[in-house]
Amino acid sequence: AVLFVLVVQSTSAFTFSRPRALTANFKQEKNNHRVPKVPEDRTPKVPEVNRGGALHALPTCVTSDVVSLAVKAGVTCLSAQIVLQSFFKRSKDPLLNRGPGHLAHTIVALPLMVWVSYIGTIGYWFHNAPKVTAVDKIMTISDESRVLGAVLCGIMAIWDVPTSFSVKTLRSPDILIHHAVLSVVSFIVATSMPCYYCFFYFGVVELISPPLAIYDQLEKTCEIADSIKDPRLGKLRKVRDRFQLLSGIVFTLTRAYLFTKVTWFDFIPDMLSVMKLPAAKPLMKTLRISVVAAVGFSILQLVWFEQMISVVTGRRKDDRVNV
């Protein structure tokens, strides 16, 4: 009996002391294998867009839908071009049937450019998204500005460039190159860096397109009316001259002044500032492409402005105005 008691006591001592030792060892091993803490991320935080105010009314697009939206926009415009061109070609009015492709292109472009300009204007001047620092303006993802990039990519690649190449009066080398490059740049930006500045470059600068498209079409129509001695020529010329003046004013404000100012005094300094940040390394290729494109387009606007001045002063024939 005494031996039994001693055995039980020794076993109890082992039973109640051993788990504490095991637990202590387990805690020690757990501490030794503890997952190291992730170091604090000190890179600039990308601010979130405040979708209050006028911005909530704008359409949005996610990255996975860019190609789909681009194709839909391009095919829609191309289909409208084919239908309208066929309709005008069958018209008995010589002012319509002698330039059906040009006229159809103008009619398709007008509502589209009004829509694009509206989105750009609201997004650039009237939304509540943060736009104080370079990070705010470049690295803040905007699904609203992505819409502009996707739509412009589709309409340029599928409708505008092919149509401009096929219609002789629209076939201008600088315009074709400009719109082809724009389609590529807009796709790259829409898929990787849709930001605050997209509202300006893909929207605000298109404020010139509606009045300029109307003037361009009236100029073509006046040429046709003059060749056939149409009695409507006088009225057409008066309307054309008014839109020429309007186009000149809007082009000077949006393309010659505003495009130059935003590019050289806002966009490029912000880009160079962001490029120095570690967080910008994954976007470096897109950032560089955007800077090169902005510089090239800015120079092109000034070339077109000089050509416009030459036309107004009579030193150059107005053989192209569709920008």
Side-chain angles (χ1 to χ4, degrees):
V2 173
L3 180 62
F4 176 76
V5 171
L6 292 175
V7 171
V8 170
Q9 287 180 348
S10 63
T11 306
S12 301
F14 174 81
T15 304
F16 290 101
S17 62
R18 189 60 179 171
R20 286 196 294 270
L22 290 174
T23 304
N25 292 338
F26 176 76
K27 289 181 179 179
Q28 184 177 2
E29 291 180 2
K30 185 177 180 181
N31 291 334
N32 292 337
H33 294 83
R34 183 177 298 168
V35 178
K37 293 183 178 180
V38 178
E40 183 181 356
D41 185 7
R42 298 183 179 275
T43 58
K45 302 299 181 182
V46 177
E48 296 181 357
V49 174
N50 177 8
R51 290 182 52 81
L55 192 62
H56 77 280
L58 300 183
T60 61
C61 174
V62 296
T63 306
S64 59
D65 292 337
V66 168
V67 174
S68 175
L69 179 58
V71 171
K72 290 176 182 178
V75 170
T76 300
C77 291
L78 182 60
S79 300
Q81 174 76 31
I82 295 173
V83 172
L84 289 173
Q85 185 169 335
S86 177
F87 173 77
F88 293 138
K89 193 173 183 179
R90 297 177 182 179
S91 174
K92 296 181 179 180
D93 190 337
L95 296 183
L96 302 180
N97 60 34
R98 294 203 175 192
H102 196 121
L103 180 57
H105 185 275
T106 300
I107 293 178
V108 174
L110 270 176
L112 181 63
M113 291 299 103
V114 170
W115 180 77
V116 166
S117 301
Y118 166 76
I119 293 181
T121 301
I122 295 297
Y124 188 72
W125 276 307
F126 300 106
H127 73 44
N128 296 328
K131 50 185 178 181
V132 178
T133 67
V135 173
D136 293 337
K137 293 182 282 187
I138 293 175
M139 298 189 68
T140 302
I141 300 300
S142 170
D143 289 335
E144 293 81 12
S145 68
R146 196 196 309 272
V147 171
L148 291 177
V151 170
L152 282 181
C153 171
I155 64 175
M156 293 297 173
I158 299 176
W159 164 66
D160 183 78
V161 173
T163 301
S164 298
F165 186 80
S166 62
V167 178
K168 186 177 180 180
T169 54
L170 295 173
R171 195 182 305 152
S172 176
D174 54 344
I175 297 298
L176 288 171
I177 295 174
H178 170 229
H179 288 184
V181 173
L182 179 59
S183 68
V184 175
V185 173
S186 60
F187 177 78
I188 294 174
V189 173
T191 54
S192 59
M193 196 187 70
C195 62
Y196 168 73
Y197 279 111
C198 293
F199 288 119
F200 177 78
Y201 288 108
F202 297 158
V204 173
V205 298
E206 296 301 336
L207 286 168
I208 179 58
S209 295
L212 191 57
I214 296 174
Y215 164 66
D216 182 37
Q217 183 58 50
L218 289 170
E219 177 69 15
K220 174 63 179 176
T221 304
C222 285
E223 293 177 2
I224 297 174
D226 187 35
S227 64
I228 62 176
K229 306 304 178 183
D230 192 288
R232 294 170 287 183
L233 178 60
K235 294 182 179 180
L236 288 171
R237 281 177 172 170
K238 289 182 181 180
V239 179
R240 177 203 62 186
D241 293 343
R242 291 173 183 174
F243 273 96
Q244 183 184 39
L245 176 61
L246 178 61
S247 299
I249 294 173
V250 178
F251 186 92
T252 301
L253 292 175
T254 59
R255 297 293 184 94
Y257 169 69
L258 201 55
F259 199 110
T260 303
K261 174 183 176 298
V262 171
T263 298
W264 294 99
F265 296 97
D266 296 329
F267 181 70
I268 292 180
D270 284 347
M271 279 290 193
L272 296 179
S273 176
V274 167
M275 285 180 177
K276 299 177 183 178
L277 302 177
K281 288 184 178 181
L283 296 173
M284 194 59 64
K285 182 180 295 185
T286 301
L287 293 172
R288 289 171 179 170
I289 292 175
S290 299
V291 169
V292 172
V295 171
F297 289 155
S298 178
I299 295 174
L300 185 59
Q301 307 310 314
L302 296 178
V303 171
W304 284 341
F305 180 67
E306 187 279 330
Q307 292 178 352
M308 184 187 73
I309 297 299
S310 299
V311 170
V312 173
T313 57
R315 294 184 289 112
R316 175 186 175 91
K317 180 181 178 182
D318 192 6
D319 56 352
R320 51 138 319 276
V321 290
N322 180 21
V323 299

